[in-house]
Amino acid sequence: MAIYPIRTFGDPVLRAVAKPVEEFGAGLAKLVDDMIETMYDAPGVGLAAPQIGISRRVVVFDAGDGANVLINPELVEDPDEIAGLGEDPHEMFEYEEGCLSVPGYYWPIQRRAFAWARGFDLHGEPVEFQGVELMGRVLQHEVDHLNGTLLIERLDSKTRKGALRDLRNDALGLV
């Protein structure tokens, strides 16, 4: 197994939409093992393949129940389907959220209280994860990475402007 360097804010791979995984096999299993090792070493609770420079729709995460993998995930957005689970698809919450690709920074991020993601496991079999609080945030955050969205884009305009200023000053050694 190998620990990859994590790509940080400003790296173009973080802004690109990741490509779907088409082949399930030993290469994918090795990538996932390396991603899990990298996530725990960071330390973090989630990691998307673009964060290590690989533009593929692969995420690993541990929301307190051990390491999980989700290949080609899509968030279930249908309010009727979500409401059928007894969850309010419109309920939002705010939580201090950070990102391994923007190390050392945390901002108040608004997200849906509940998230449900469908995708595939390492063998190409359908799998899904759903949850509230940490699990909900992790699913939404990691799928954002696959869609080229960083948490900074989830900030209101005033907070985003300050965050970008801080990141620029940090990069220039002015902090």
Side-chain angles (χ1 to χ4, degrees):
M1 293 201 288
I3 295 175
Y4 283 83
I6 295 174
R7 303 294 180 94
T8 57
F9 179 77
D11 190 314
V13 73
L14 298 172
R15 297 291 193 173
V17 175
K19 296 177 178 100
V21 170
E22 295 176 1
E23 291 186 31
F24 294 78
L28 179 61
K30 172 145 180 31
L31 171 63
V32 166
D33 285 344
D34 291 346
M35 286 177 64
I36 290 169
E37 186 174 1
T38 301
M39 175 186 71
Y40 285 137
D41 182 70
V45 296
L47 185 70
Q51 291 181 277
I52 59 168
I54 298 172
S55 184
R56 289 289 180 258
R57 297 188 72 80
V58 179
V59 300
V60 297
F61 59 94
D62 183 345
D65 61 344
N68 294 291
V69 61
L70 199 49
I71 313 295
N72 297 335
E74 298 294 335
L75 291 174
V76 175
E77 303 282 353
D78 181 355
D80 293 332
E81 203 170 353
I82 293 170
L85 297 172
E87 299 293 340
D88 180 352
H90 305 292
E91 183 181 1
M92 301 288 287
F93 70 97
E94 186 174 278
Y95 189 83
E96 288 287 310
E97 192 171 314
C99 178
L100 295 175
S101 291
V102 193
Y105 289 90
Y106 297 85
W107 295 286
I109 304 291
Q110 279 239 331
R111 293 198 185 270
R112 288 191 328 234
F114 173 81
W116 180 6
R118 291 180 176 149
F120 300 92
D121 66 13
L122 278 174
H123 308 289
E125 297 297 319
V127 65
E128 58 184 56
F129 294 90
Q130 55 184 268
V132 295
E133 299 184 14
L134 181 59
M135 176 65 88
R137 282 193 317 276
V138 168
L139 292 172
Q140 292 171 80
H141 182 108
E142 299 310 327
V143 170
D144 271 356
H145 274 298
L146 301 180
N147 294 329
T149 302
L150 287 174
L151 79 162
I152 293 169
E153 295 170 50
R154 297 274 179 207
L155 299 172
D156 63 70
S157 61
K158 181 180 177 185
T159 307
R160 184 179 321 115
K161 184 177 177 179
L164 291 171
R165 181 192 63 241
D166 293 345
L167 289 166
R168 180 191 65 236
N169 289 343
D170 192 23
L172 295 172
L174 301 174
V175 177

